[in-house]
Amino acid sequence: MRRGAVPLMPCLALCLTLMAAVLTACSGDDGDDPVRLRVLASPDLAVLAPLLGELKAETGVDLRLDPRPDAETTAPDRDRYDLAWLSSDRYLRLTARSAVQGLQRTATMTSPVVVGLQPDVARELRAKTPGGRLTWADIADAAATGTVRFGMADPRRSASGLAALVGVATAAAGTGGALRPGDVSCDRLRGFRSGQTLTADTSPALIDTYVDHQDEANALITYESDLLALNASGRLDDRLEVVRPEDGMVLADFPLLLLDAAQRAAYAKVTEWLQRDSVQQEIMRRTLRRPVSATVTRDPQLREPVGNALYFPDQPAVIDTLLADYGDPGRRTASQVVFLLDFSGSMRGARMAALREAFADLSGADATASGKFARFYRGERLTVVRFGGRVLEERTVTVAGPKDLRALADTVARGGYGDSTAVWSALDHGYRTAARELADDPDRAVSLVLMTDGENNAGIAYAEFVRRHKALPAPVRTGVHTYPVHFGDADAAELRRVAARTGGRMVDAADSSPSGPSGPSSLSEAFKEIRGCH
Amino acid sequence: MPANRPASEEPRLAVTRPPRVRPRRRVLALALPVPIVGLILLMATGNLLLPLRQVVTIEAKMASKRDFFQDPEVERLLMKHGFRVHITSMGSREIANQDFEGYDVVFPSGQPAADLISRERAESNRPVLLYRPFVSPIVLATYRSYAEALVDADVAEAQPNPGGRPMYYTLEMTPFVKLTEEGRRWSDIDIRGHGVENSNKILAQTSDICESNSAGTYLGLVAFVDNDNDAPDDEKEAARVAQEIKPLLVEQGLPSSERAETYLSPDGQSIAPISVIYEHQFLAHQIRHRAEKGAPDDERVLLYPSTRFVTEPQLVALTGDGARLGELVSEDPELQHRAMELGFRARNGNSGGTTGDELAEFLTRRHIPVPTTSSNDTRAVLPPLPLLEQMIKTVGDCPDRKGDVR
């Protein structure tokens, strides 16, 4: 509680002639006292620095912005800063809850994370999509084929990168809800990620990187505001078309947080000023971010609907998994899947047709959203091993284009069935292949998919396989997991046992008939379900 | 101008009489050994109202009810009575969680947070005075397309509006909660048929359950519905119900703050199709819209849960000046009238069933439809405070409150 006593006569005289603002000052406000506040800022906020002189002149509060690249991902140091002004505080709310819980928080402007596409790519993608309405799945699909090569900020360091990652992962999970740990147990973004050619630690740095390397990327995933501002800057050879993916977006609201409660009076002045229509107008003019005020007339470019906001996950474990799987955008490691496919006589006919269809689906024929995320992608290394009573054929490709996928399809299409089923010999063979590949490239992520429709009746016994598996070098034994696909008359208990032993998981495709005239078969669904599991 | 005069130099006015103490609309927090002493202390710091000569700056912490105190007309009326209010804004439960040293009043949006505060203060022999100037029901604010999709799905029913398209709908809570439970999406109930594409799950978004009264109240509402229209009344039952409803309430993921601001923003429909807010926030918007644009906002509509709950914001006075402010906003006819113009319901003559007559008349005069309540509606009851607290912590995984012994 503070009291300000005011001499009656001078005040009356003043009040009669001056406006309400003066009345406020005259009746005891201590607003004339200049206050200097230290502000931890996202680099995204530096663009507003020129406005702060006006803020100081009108409110007496002097904000000293300290833009730091790690502002959005490191708990703020309350001894050094009075306020924090971030593009988003979601990362901190998840990873440093106690540091930001209960702080006064004011949203100052908004911008969704969207995709900017060069015009020719946009045209090509739209032509393939009914109604021309693009989704994150379409972007992932085009990234997997190499059509889209994009830049995106590092999600481990920047809120825009994290928002993009969460957006695309939520779309990939396709549940319509916030991501749960079960939704991210397998990495569905490998295809999407294979299209990333540029990165940076912050959103502003990403823009500069893109400007300098326009020949290396044809798409940019970042804030709508940054894309619009970049288009207006004249720094581009080709303006980027702003695409707001149909399956949703993540919105940044640029919150101003009060770190030092003792500065609440100054904080109130700053937030009141920032929310004034004239200031919101000016922020919009400078940044092309959307005003939080409903009464500001929007720039025509900002009248487009913002797109449905996706529910943002609230479990730190989900974010941890997403970030770990996404890894270092600057240093991509290849992954490899070894498919061990049962070509015993019982696979003839409908079952073989289903297997070929499953491979076609993974090669790009599956037009569903999940299919677009799960498809084989450029740079992925794929090995197909056909086996009966023994290994019949092994073929490895590194996907560079359609011809590699055709080569793979040819291998699967070939007949040449065996009379018996040597499940454990085949798996043992798979592990030897994996060991060889890992010896060549220890960073590679290798997993095995074992598809069989019968019980083991040839080759080594399960016990012998286990003995050999135990003798494998540690990185192969613990790092290469087996994902059995149970089909036809295979022994589910045994397959489950080997999955548990190797750290994988069994999926069931027991029904061999296609699920409908146009729907993918159960085998195709099973393959899709374990894509990206590692 | 003597604006920065240090506190010690302030001329003090002699206290000639204590503020009037009338029992109406005022609840002495606890009948404890020393409340009399506390009361006398409160009175002793009180001051006379001397407009223009003396402006008292009240330091206040509040949540959504700052809408009232930040209204320019309310500010003017308060200034007339010698008050200016400095607002620190945060969620109601968070108000109760944090220290209130240096504040004259705190104004959580509902009874639970006020109870937490008055209980704590009473335990430390510093009882408080409580004022309840007005009330407002908890509602689910949405947009025309979404409300109509819910009508088509037999989950909501429009309240007839002779003057045009309906502005109010009654939402059947049991089937609505079931939609969320079953993981149904907007696309499953043909939102596309109403011109909107959205395949997100159907649910009502709340602000942070650990921080806000509206979210905690909505939890109480869902718990009441889940528990066959009965509030859990022992720890075991509360634990069971909390576990049952937790998946429904955390489905929205990381909550965002400022539901009403988001709802009213131009991008609101994209950000959250249904937001849990207070009726006054919606009515204030429609009254303003009508005044500025000549017609109500036809796209924003309200879902009244069939199981109703009226929240009672409580102004907690921590000092004598705070008590004078509480008294003023509860008793002053001009301020009470202005509260109604801002969409609040008067507290007396309206225990939650029907719209206050005065508010109904006011809305009618402004050509804004008047919400009606059906006699079939159930009145929800919140569980006792300790159980509600327990359920909030379970559902929100909230950090312990300060002073928690466990």
Side-chain angles (χ1 to χ4, degrees):
Chain A
M1 171 180 61
R2 276 172 296 111
R3 280 149 211 286
V6 179
L8 186 57
M9 288 321 291
C11 186
L12 270 179
L14 262 176
C15 293
L16 285 171
T17 49
L18 295 182
M19 286 165 40
V22 180
L23 173 68
T24 312
C26 147
S27 52
D29 201 334
D30 55 358
D32 301 329
D33 215 5
V35 185
R36 178 177 296 177
L37 299 182
R38 301 155 302 169
V39 186
L40 170 65
S42 295
D44 307 71
L45 274 312
V47 64
L48 293 177
L51 281 183
L52 300 181
E54 217 172 299
L55 169 71
K56 187 182 170 192
E58 290 177 22
T59 65
V61 184
D62 184 8
L63 292 191
R64 293 298 171 96
L65 294 193
D66 184 6
R68 297 192 66 91
D70 61 353
E72 291 153 358
T73 53
T74 311
D77 180 348
R78 296 210 194 184
D79 292 332
R80 287 185 62 192
Y81 300 106
D82 305 303
L83 309 179
W85 200 358
L86 310 175
S87 60
S88 162
D89 57 353
R90 286 196 183 97
Y91 190 91
L92 293 179
R93 287 171 65 197
L94 281 166
T95 59
R97 187 172 179 177
S98 58
V100 291
Q101 173 91 31
L103 296 182
Q104 281 203 75
R105 177 189 195 282
T106 307
T108 58
M109 49 203 151
T110 66
S111 198
V113 170
V114 296
V115 187
L117 292 176
Q118 284 181 3
D120 50 335
V121 188
R123 217 172 305 121
E124 186 182 338
L125 260 54
R126 285 192 203 286
K128 283 198 289 187
T129 313
R133 302 152 82 102
L134 297 176
T135 62
W136 285 112
D138 296 320
I139 303 294
D141 183 59
T145 61
T147 307
V148 159
R149 290 165 295 129
F150 66 86
M152 179 178 123
D154 187 341
R156 300 168 305 169
R157 301 199 160 81
S158 136
S160 78
L162 181 66
L165 176 59
V166 166
V168 72
T170 305
T175 65
L179 288 172
R180 300 283 153 211
D183 299 325
V184 294
S185 59
C186 297
D187 177 10
R188 301 288 154 82
L189 303 187
R190 289 179 177 177
F192 168 76
R193 199 166 61 205
S194 69
Q196 181 167 13
T197 53
L198 297 177
T199 191
D201 285 356
T202 70
S203 322
L206 177 69
I207 296 295
D208 293 339
T209 304
Y210 180 76
V211 168
D212 293 343
H213 301 88
Q214 293 179 54
D215 49 334
E216 290 172 37
N218 51 25
L220 198 51
I221 301 178
T222 189
Y223 297 122
E224 171 194 71
S225 56
D226 286 12
L227 294 173
L228 296 174
L230 183 58
N231 278 341
S233 71
R235 296 166 78 194
L236 294 182
D237 302 335
D238 268 322
R239 286 161 60 95
L240 293 168
E241 192 176 314
V242 175
V243 170
R244 300 175 181 84
E246 279 289 298
D247 36 4
M249 56 83 205
V250 173
L251 193 72
D253 66 357
F254 300 85
L256 183 67
L257 307 172
L258 175 61
L259 301 176
D260 178 6
Q263 299 293 355
R264 64 174 191 263
Y267 176 81
K269 284 180 197 162
V270 173
T271 52
E272 184 275 325
W273 186 82
L274 284 171
Q275 289 172 312
R276 283 182 201 169
D277 278 5
S278 58
V279 177
Q280 287 278 308
Q281 184 91 39
E282 185 58 20
I283 291 177
M284 178 177 70
R285 196 183 67 75
R286 282 174 185 271
T287 65
L288 288 163
R289 291 170 193 151
R290 295 174 179 235
V292 287
S293 159
T295 43
V296 172
T297 308
R298 292 195 171 195
D299 184 293
Q301 301 178 90
L302 299 177
R303 288 181 203 157
E304 285 280 313
V306 72
N308 294 317
L310 297 163
Y311 300 122
F312 200 91
D314 60 349
Q315 298 189 24
V318 168
I319 301 296
D320 291 347
T321 305
L322 282 178
L323 291 177
D325 281 349
Y326 202 79
D328 182 347
R331 194 175 152 276
R332 284 276 161 253
T333 53
S335 37
Q336 177 168 11
V337 185
V338 179
F339 289 94
L340 304 161
L341 306 176
D342 184 345
F343 269 63
S344 61
S346 56
M347 280 293 292
R348 283 179 213 271
R351 289 179 180 175
M352 188 48 63
L355 178 63
R356 286 167 188 156
E357 190 192 311
F359 265 76
D361 281 345
L362 287 178
S363 302
D366 183 347
T368 64
S370 56
K372 287 177 176 177
F373 278 105
R375 63 168 296 159
F376 297 140
Y377 55 88
R378 250 165 68 103
E380 185 175 23
R381 215 165 142 76
L382 299 166
T383 301
V384 167
V385 176
R386 301 195 298 120
F387 71 92
R390 59 183 174 82
V391 168
L392 302 169
E393 184 184 4
E394 174 174 328
R395 173 90 192 237
T396 297
V397 298
T398 300
V399 181
K403 84 171 170 17
D404 300 305
L405 295 176
R406 271 199 303 276
L408 217 55
D410 289 346
T411 308
V412 179
R414 258 192 286 283
Y417 295 93
D419 291 330
S420 48
T421 312
V423 176
W424 309 122
S425 293
L427 188 58
D428 179 54
H429 176 91
Y431 270 98
R432 274 181 280 129
T433 300
R436 215 169 44 238
E437 297 283 348
L438 276 177
D440 285 354
D441 178 2
D443 287 340
R444 191 174 299 167
V446 183
S447 58
L448 303 183
V449 172
L450 170 63
M451 190 285 298
T452 176
D453 76 334
E455 292 182 31
N456 188 56
N457 58 15
I460 62 172
Y462 179 70
E464 174 61 13
F465 165 75
V466 170
R467 198 187 61 75
R468 293 184 189 183
H469 182 260
K470 279 181 180 162
L472 288 168
V476 183
R477 192 177 65 239
T478 57
V480 180
H481 305 157
T482 299
Y483 296 88
V485 176
H486 172 250
F487 197 35
D489 313 310
D491 183 338
E494 273 203 323
L495 294 179
R496 225 172 255 126
R497 189 159 52 145
V498 77
R501 163 164 293 278
T502 62
R505 177 165 63 86
M506 192 197 81
V507 288
D508 213 331
D511 176 14
S512 62
S513 63
S515 56
S518 60
S521 71
S522 64
L523 191 58
S524 195
E525 288 297 330
F527 274 142
K528 209 153 79 173
E529 191 185 327
I530 49 170
R531 278 291 282 167
C533 298
H534 54 89
Chain B
M1 220 176 304
N4 300 309
R5 196 189 289 262
S8 58
E9 289 178 26
E10 286 178 8
R12 306 284 297 188
L13 288 162
V15 178
T16 52
R17 62 185 174 93
R20 291 168 303 146
V21 180
R22 280 190 292 161
R24 202 158 66 85
R25 293 192 188 173
R26 162 176 301 191
V27 182
L28 189 55
L30 271 190
L32 274 189
V34 262
I36 305 298
V37 179
L39 194 60
I40 290 169
L41 283 176
L42 278 179
M43 290 169 174
T45 56
N47 271 289
L48 269 182
L49 262 171
L50 286 177
L52 278 180
R53 293 229 22 209
Q54 178 82 16
V55 172
V56 176
T57 299
I58 296 284
E59 288 294 335
K61 247 199 249 198
M62 51 185 81
S64 54
K65 301 315 171 254
R66 67 175 177 276
D67 289 1
F68 176 76
F69 282 97
Q70 285 177 337
D71 172 59
E73 176 62 11
V74 169
E75 285 179 343
R76 190 188 69 78
L77 291 170
L78 288 175
M79 185 61 86
K80 198 173 96 180
H81 291 276
F83 285 107
R84 182 177 34 240
V85 182
H86 261 187
I87 294 168
T88 302
S89 145
M90 59 181 62
S92 298
R93 193 166 174 276
E94 198 54 40
I95 291 176
N97 277 350
Q98 295 188 11
D99 195 24
F100 2 91
E101 216 45 60
Y103 286 92
D104 300 290
V105 301
V106 293
F107 195 11
S109 304
Q111 196 177 349
D115 284 355
L116 281 175
I117 295 164
S118 55
R119 193 183 61 181
E120 236 165 57
R121 294 279 291 207
E123 278 165 9
S124 58
N125 285 336
R126 299 165 76 193
V128 294
L129 293 171
L130 299 175
Y131 300 86
R132 297 173 194 159
F134 35 66
V135 301
S136 197
I138 196 95
V139 293
L140 282 74
T142 189
Y143 304 86
R144 174 83 53 204
S145 312
Y146 286 91
E148 290 295 335
L150 289 170
V151 169
D152 289 352
D154 286 333
V155 176
E157 196 183 338
Q159 291 185 11
N161 174 19
R165 297 202 284 175
M167 179 176 285
Y168 310 109
Y169 298 76
T170 303
L171 180 70
E172 290 301 329
M173 279 304 281
T174 307
F176 175 70
V177 168
K178 198 152 173 252
L179 286 177
T180 307
E181 214 166 68
E182 290 170 349
R184 301 279 291 276
R185 308 187 193 195
W186 287 109
S187 45
D188 295 334
I189 63 166
D190 193 27
I191 190 68
R192 174 181 266 184
H194 298 275
V196 177
E197 296 280 343
N198 191 342
S199 46
N200 282 340
K201 285 185 178 168
I202 300 170
L203 52 89
Q205 286 177 256
T206 68
S207 37
D208 193 335
I209 216 157
C210 298
E211 297 186 4
S212 104
N213 179 68
S214 57
T217 305
Y218 186 65
L219 175 150
L221 206 64
V222 174
F224 184 84
V225 171
D226 176 87
N227 200 35
D228 299 325
N229 285 356
D230 191 13
D233 53 14
D234 63 53
E235 265 185 45
K236 213 175 124 211
E237 201 174 23
R240 174 183 59 79
V241 174
Q243 285 304 338
E244 277 172 19
I245 64 174
K246 181 169 179 167
L248 309 174
L249 296 172
V250 301
E251 191 67 73
Q252 64 171 336
L254 199 64
S256 56
S257 46
E258 301 318 331
R259 292 263 52 106
E261 280 171 30
T262 303
Y263 171 66
L264 297 174
S265 74
D267 296 318
Q269 176 168 335
S270 295
I271 300 170
I274 303 183
S275 283
V276 176
I277 64 170
Y278 301 102
E279 181 194 52
H280 74 86
Q281 295 172 316
F282 179 86
L283 293 180
H285 166 71
Q286 292 294 7
I287 293 164
R288 201 166 45 233
H289 200 278
R290 163 84 214 179
E292 283 166 10
K293 311 243 162 93
D297 180 349
D298 196 44
E299 281 309 309
R300 287 186 171 77
V301 299
L302 215 50
L303 302 166
Y304 282 98
S306 56
T307 312
R308 300 204 166 200
F309 188 83
V310 177
T311 59
E312 296 196 351
Q314 305 210 11
L315 191 148
V316 183
L318 306 167
T319 65
D321 282 326
R324 288 201 303 126
L325 179 74
E327 173 105 356
L328 184 70
V329 296
S330 311
E331 301 292 339
D332 181 73
E334 282 182 314
L335 282 166
Q336 280 285 303
H337 182 79
R338 185 59 190 162
M340 185 202 66
E341 291 181 345
L342 293 172
F344 290 98
R345 297 176 184 224
R347 191 163 175 273
N348 44 359
N350 167 34
S351 47
T354 55
T355 311
D357 287 346
E358 238 193 321
L359 179 61
E361 260 173 47
F362 174 78
L363 291 175
T364 309
R365 262 202 320 276
R366 300 287 170 103
H367 306 285
I368 294 167
V370 179
T372 56
T373 46
S374 156
S375 52
N376 294 333
D377 288 347
T378 314
R379 197 94 50 81
V381 182
L382 290 189
L385 181 62
L387 296 185
L388 182 64
E389 271 292 295
Q390 176 198 330
M391 293 173 78
I392 286 174
K393 279 185 191 170
T394 303
V395 172
D397 292 320
C398 309
D400 275 345
R401 301 182 56 246
K402 66 167 163 85
D404 268 5
V405 266
R406 269 165 297 173

